[in-house]
Amino acid sequence: MPALDPAEASVFNLPPRLAVKADPVLIGPDERHFFIIARRLDGQIADLSVQLDALRRAPAGSGRKALDRDLEIHRISARLRLLRRYGADLCLGRVVPADGSEPLYIGRIGLTDAAGEPLLIDWRAPASEPFFAATPANPLGLASRRRYRWSAGRVTDYWDEALSPDAASGQLALDDDSAFIASLGSSRSPRMRDVLATIQADQDAIIRAGSHGALVVDGGPGTGKTVVALHRAAYLLYADPRLAGHRGGVLFVGPHERYLAYVADVLPSLGEEGVQTCTLRDLVPEGATAVPEPDAVAARLKASAEMVQAVEPAVALYEEPPTQGMAVETTWSDVWLSPADWAEAFEAPDPGTPHNEARDEVWEALLEIAADKGEDADVPREALLASLARNEDLRGTFGRTWPILEASELVSDLWSVPAYLRRCAPWLSPDEARALRRPEGSPWTVPDLPLLDAMRQRLGDPKASVRRRRREEALAADRAYMDRVVQDLLDANDDPESPLPLLRRDSIRDALVHSEALSDLTPDRLAGPFAHVIVDEAQELTDAEWQLLLRRCPSRSFTVVGDRAQARRGFPETWEERLARVGFDTVARATLTVNYRTPEEVMAVAEPVIRAALPDANVPTSIRSGGVPVRYGTASELDGLVRDWLAAHPDGVACVVGDPDFTGTPRVASFSPELAKGLEFDLVVLVHPDAFGAGIEGAVDRYVAMTRTTRELVILSR
């Protein structure tokens, strides 16, 4: 490696207390390697900028060409954003092989020099796995490992681990604490950070696990299950052939919008911007305005997978052929359509075709059957079909027996028309049916959303016929235009050897037609199907909500993240039992038992709270002591307590849980226990915890709120 350019400032910015680590023997090779990385990055940024500028200036084209251009612009832009965001700090650490070969540097992304030699190995590549998985008991061919702490593009600390007795101790700076332990006490921020530099062996095994079936990541608060799931998404997109190249893609479902904002930066920092993130509400148009279900019985009934089964009979009522025949008048004669003819036409669509999208198939089949019965040698078939299609009686009867349907209207009818509900859900008792009854026009509730989604999938696009006709008209106009162009070319050419007459071939004519004429739909990015779905806080999902997600992932490839002890409605089953019941046939479980977030002092108070309600709760063991005991006081102290904390802590974030009258600030949030789930703070102030209620829900809310803190917990009573 070339010597470090003396004009370049050192990448290392170690504080005086770490002067021993600044020894050139320890950091000199890293300095040289980081210098090469920085130079290579500068070159790549320049090259990619030129490529991007050229692509943007080039004609957009049409059809597949335009799509490929847009995808390439997106790919290069994403790469540039990542390279500009990081410099040499793309490097997470290095490993020294036990065989004496050159160190390997592990990065957020892969990077090679101009000759193709690796400067950084992508953290997801198989060659990087020992960096995360090696232990002194199982070194995986490594002599040592080094992890860096970066700040503002400079190394402010690093940690060495000797993994074999043969490690060159003179070239290592060994610490009592690991990089991971050192990171736990750092101040939190409003955004979750990735943990690439500190992934532990048990977490890495989950990240790299296969994608077949459902993998449950079961862990109590602070075990890192959420961040592991996010890193798993990035890994699968890189390594899994089903997902590589973003085929199918990944859907990440979080519990609420604040949670999504909290984790929003993790995947971009890992070089992945293609993962779709959402809440369950986002998957259904009515979700934005849905309100909680006020009736507990109705909520329970709507939450069941059984209620989703009411969709099929609800739609089937509008797919029943007439039971009486009819005479259809044409210009030439009457045509008799029997009930059997209608039934035959209604069976024309393939099974599973959405109702609205099958309508044109049924209509065309009906016309063909009628034309067959009224066919006359003297009457052109196209004329007969046109005459049948214009018959108002036929059109009216067809419109009544196979109407265009809206999902919201049918679900509303279920709740407002008792006879309709009895027909579609005959298993309901009279009392249960009454509990579901709502006046027409009532606002949608959260438990309505899975049923609305199932109904919408079964019905399909209510404007399918209109869109189809529009596409056909556009295509016909485009073909007519191309025909005129071709004819003009032929008229202007008198060369008998010219290949121009080939343009009359249908295959070539169709290739000349702009593909924009074939579709005018804006795709729904959340409609799927997805190759893999990751669900966080999955213990809260109802059976009906699971059906909503399974419809978007036919392969049933899921990462299920949750904690049974944090289920507000209770979770008496095992994960395997719950998932088998909702439709999974393959379920594996990985359990995380170490609490990296919450200090021992806080867990000593929180554990009895959840054990009292759930004796078998998976309470994780804290890995560290914070040295700060849990404090108690009264609600009147809240304002002064927060003010004093802000004055004493220039960094970090806090949260007040349980006081809706407290106004949050950029550094001090104010949440309910439910909205605090999935988040973490340096300080948590719990106000009136007894007001959270009795039973499992109250115990879970108190437990969740207590375990959000990474340092201090204050409990204020009345």
Side-chain angles (χ1 to χ4, degrees), residues 429-483:
S429 71
D431 288 342
E432 290 174 332
R434 279 192 293 273
L436 290 169
R437 196 170 301 165
R438 296 287 184 272
E440 189 174 356
S442 297
W444 296 114
T445 67
V446 174
D448 287 329
L449 301 180
L451 194 65
L452 284 162
D453 185 73
M455 188 71 77
R456 190 163 281 116
Q457 184 184 59
R458 177 63 179 85
L459 294 177
D461 183 5
K463 298 181 179 178
S465 294
V466 174
R467 297 187 189 281
R468 179 189 174 195
R469 286 195 297 273
R470 187 183 301 161
R471 289 194 294 270
E472 289 176 348
E473 291 168 358
L475 187 60
D478 217 7
R479 281 175 173 162
Y481 172 76
M482 296 309 302
D483 285 344

Side-chain angles (χ1 to χ4, degrees), residues 91-95 104-107 120 131 146-148 150:
C91 184
L92 305 170
R94 76 177 194 194
V95 293
L104 301 176
Y105 289 81
I106 312 302
L120 291 173
F131 176 76
R146 173 173 292 182
R147 303 178 192 250
Y148 306 105
W150 296 87

Side-chain angles (χ1 to χ4, degrees), residues 74-95:
H74 177 78
R75 184 191 68 80
I76 294 176
S77 298
R79 178 83 172 184
L80 274 172
R81 281 193 295 273
L82 189 66
L83 297 183
R84 288 166 174 163
R85 178 175 181 175
Y86 296 98
D89 51 345
L90 282 169
C91 184
L92 305 170
R94 76 177 194 194
V95 293

